[in-house]
Amino acid sequence: MVQWLDLQGASLGIWPDWLGMQEQETLWPWLLQEISWQQQSICLFGRRHLQPRLTAWFADEPYRYSGLVLPATPWPAKLAELRERVASSTGHGFNSVLLNYYRDGNDHIGWHRDNEPELGPAPAVASLSLGAQRRFVMRRRDDHACRHECWLAPGTLLLMGPGMQAQWQHALPKARHISTPRINLTFRFLLPRR
Ligand SMILES: O=C(O)CCC(=O)C(=O)O
Ligand SMILES: [Mn+2]
């Protein structure tokens, strides 16, 4: 059952237990064994940094973010099947997935918006969480005191609806007490290049 929240004009959808325990138990080792996880270095404010997490990428189109160009990469059948199920639950189609592997609570993602030009002006971004439960925080760009947060338990599907990226930033903060890993699959739709 989906829970919809209205965040001042942007909708957030949460499907707890979207992926059952048994499927999580087969998907998790498959992701660890079959995905070629990389620690990318990115350019932030003119300096190069290693990202504080590992990532992987599959897409029908190339994607540019934080000074990186991620090429078009064919989808493994397992992820293509998940993409269809995410599309049918959320009502949004996706042609790319960015996977994040947070090795422990030190790995994180800072405040940002998923607002690259390829995503268009009002993208929907769907996120499937596996492994350690982590805190996902959102704040309005124009009023950082206006915040919302949720705990992303394994198996949860989250949809940041159209409008969210224009007004809100999001982050997955460090959680030093967490020693176990988390994997997150973020499904996006990239506009074909003109
Ligand atoms: O790990 C998460 O839940 C969020 C990841 C994220 O925001 C991103 O990859 O852009
Ligand atoms: Mn994001």
Side-chain angles (χ1 to χ4, degrees):
M1 267 279 280
V2 59
Q3 299 156 8
W4 288 105
L5 289 170
D6 180 14
L7 295 183
Q8 302 179 348
S11 61
L12 190 73
I14 301 175
W15 288 255
D17 304 315
W18 183 84
L19 197 69
M21 197 60 120
Q22 270 193 343
E23 280 197 280
Q24 293 177 44
E25 281 169 6
T26 48
L27 185 57
W28 181 268
W30 182 87
L31 287 165
L32 290 187
Q33 279 157 32
E34 301 300 326
I35 300 294
S36 157
W37 296 101
Q38 310 282 331
Q39 188 170 21
Q40 301 271 8
S41 78
I42 54 163
C43 195
L44 271 184
F45 306 112
R47 294 182 58 183
R48 293 210 80 78
H49 300 264
L50 280 176
Q51 282 184 320
R53 63 190 174 282
L54 309 183
T55 58
W57 171 251
F58 299 96
D60 304 340
E61 302 280 335
Y63 186 36
R64 283 162 193 77
Y65 87 117
S66 299
L68 292 172
V69 181
L70 304 176
T73 321
W75 293 67
K78 212 181 257 292
L79 296 187
E81 185 240 330
L82 271 178
R83 151 169 90 164
E84 293 316 310
R85 286 164 61 188
V86 170
S88 99
S89 292
T90 61
H92 291 277
F94 300 101
N95 60 6
S96 58
V97 64
L98 176 66
L99 296 90
N100 295 298
Y101 178 21
Y102 302 90
R103 293 159 290 184
D104 61 25
N106 282 310
D107 277 356
H108 63 281
I109 188 164
W111 287 112
H112 71 284
R113 295 184 287 147
D114 299 329
N115 66 340
E116 289 72 30
E118 286 92 335
L119 295 172
V125 177
S127 151
L128 174 62
S129 291
L130 299 165
Q133 172 162 296
R134 295 280 295 260
R135 196 164 63 93
F136 182 75
V137 291
M138 291 149 275
R139 69 181 185 193
R140 268 193 75 97
R141 277 175 75 203
D142 56 358
D143 178 6
H144 289 181
C146 179
R147 289 168 76 111
H148 184 74
E149 67 175 54
C150 50
W151 284 88
L152 295 176
T156 303
L157 179 69
L158 177 103
L159 180 78
M160 291 187 276
M164 188 86 198
Q165 306 303 325
Q167 304 303 338
W168 293 78
Q169 299 172 318
H170 57 275
L172 190 93
K174 278 189 187 179
R176 288 207 178 80
H177 59 286
I178 291 178
S179 56
T180 52
R182 168 176 183 265
I183 291 176
N184 160 260
L185 284 66
T186 67
F187 295 88
R188 300 148 194 257
F189 183 80
L190 304 177
L191 301 173
R193 295 209 80 193
R194 279 154 286 162

